[in-house]
Amino acid sequence: MPSADRPGADGTPPPALPCPEADVGLLAPSRAGSAVAGATGDAGYLRALLDAEAALTRAQAAVGLAPAAAGAAVTAAAARTRPDPHGLALRARAAGNPVVPLVADLTAAVAEHDPGAAAHVHRGATSQDILDTATMLVCARAMDLVLPDLARTADALRRTAERHRDTPMAGRTLTQHAVPTTFGLKAAGWRSLVLDAHARLAAVRTALPAQLGGAAGTLAAFHAYAEAEAAAAPAAPDLGPRLLAAYAAETGLAEPALPWHTLRTPVADLAGALAFTAGALGKLAADVLSLARTETGELAEGSGGGSSAMPHKANPVRATLIAAAARQVPALTAVLYGSLAAEDERPAGAWHAEWQPLRDALRLVGGAARDAAELTAGLRVHPRRMRHNLDATGGLVVTERLVAALTALTGRGEARRLVDAAARRTARDGVALHDALRAELDEAGAAALPEARLRQLLDPTTYLGSAGTLVDRALARTSHDPQEPV
């Protein structure tokens, strides 16, 4: 097979790659092709950076620091500018961030049509103002894609929980059969986690702030420009806050109380919500993977993935990808939390360390939310297999119930001894628990526990406790607000 740097058998050169460093998700199927992957790609980030620059000039025009025509000129230039991401990335090495070369390109683009307006590009701001604001725009746009997928997942799980409210299955603890439960209760639990994730991300989305502080968070440069244009008359003390409010309004982001160059609460809060969301979806995926095992067979994905070697395989691919994302996001979040310890008024390294982990976390959660919506919409449930597995232990799944029933007849200690002995015999010899228990009971015990009563106690489908009521309680929560009363 021809390689990327060796001609083919006919001597023709291999096809050229668009960019040798492009990352389109070849090794990241969790996020490849998702809407969030597109929104957080280099093109999406460049668009957000340009939007942030244009909004800054418009905000200065709104408070009298720039002509209205300058705001219009910079906005128009930003809309038509199409920087080369690869070239910009290489030029960014000189200053350590992409804003510096981008500002040069945008200034040149504005000057082509309005030389006077070019002086108002990026005026008074620092690179971190623009990159932080652009990052918040990227995050907001990503959240606007993730949240609907989570809502679709919650809606699908509601339908599943309603349909299987009373479908019995084996509850499992520490990988073993424990007591009976219902699939409706399991699905309602998944939905509760998804709603919790939605609520956390929605709250963070609303609070994502613009960033504007100037060189060291004092907004002093904007005062200097105002004083220079007013023949040295002092600028109004509230100039900075008014400009900050105008900038937030122009970007559509929240207005922060303070510049947050080294006060990284917005990033940390988002990191926590992303980690929670990945874990919540990961719980769903882990259960699907376990219950979709061949020997369990209680669930299956609507359309499983194939194998390169085994034609019979229908792998739970969506659950696999979600599980992979859930294992990666916490590590990325650790980097983002670590950047809270940022020195001075603007840091060296702590801020820079956030960029790629935050983007990766957004992409992973975006892909997982997409996959969860598809998984839950097509999830296939096999109640007959659930019932078959529920009976697999020969009745041991209801030993807890038997102890409780016999306690009233023999006392708790003796009841536990009898059931323990019967359970050991069932597990060891394969004897049905009904027969093993009958063998352990004396005449008085056997007389006190009629056959009809014993068979009723051994029926796992009648030992579901409050499962149905708990499903109803969970489904009474109709919004994504974790505080909604039920």
Side-chain angles (χ1 to χ4, degrees), residues 33-74:
S34 70
V36 171
T40 57
D42 286 348
Y45 246 98
L46 283 174
R47 175 47 44 203
L49 287 165
L50 290 166
D51 289 345
E53 288 286 2
L56 177 61
T57 309
R58 294 197 305 272
Q60 293 194 60
V63 298
L65 288 177
V74 174

Side-chain angles (χ1 to χ4, degrees), residues 7 19 25 28 40 47 74 77 100 162 164 196 208 211 229 243-244 270-271 281 302 320 330 361 408 419 478-479 483:
C19 173
T40 57
R47 175 47 44 203
V74 174
V100 174
E162 289 174 337
H164 294 283
D196 288 345
L208 293 174
Q211 171 77 284
E229 293 176 2
L243 177 59
L244 186 53
L270 178 58
L281 298 178
T320 297
V419 176
T478 57
S479 79
Q483 303 304 317

Side-chain angles (χ1 to χ4, degrees), residues 56-121:
L56 177 61
T57 309
R58 294 197 305 272
Q60 293 194 60
V63 298
L65 288 177
V74 174
T75 298
R80 64 175 176 267
T81 298
R82 296 289 186 273
D84 168 37
H86 187 248
L88 195 67
L90 295 177
R91 292 161 59 203
R93 287 184 52 78
N97 74 74
V99 176
V100 174
L102 183 66
V103 168
D105 291 351
L106 180 58
T107 301
V110 174
E112 289 181 6
H113 294 80
D114 188 340
H120 294 279
V121 174

Side-chain angles (χ1 to χ4, degrees), residues 399 403 414-425 437 440:
T399 54
V403 170
E414 178 63 8
R416 181 61 188 260
R417 186 195 68 77
L418 289 169
V419 176
D420 281 353
R424 284 194 300 271
R425 185 176 177 188
L437 186 59
E440 294 295 333

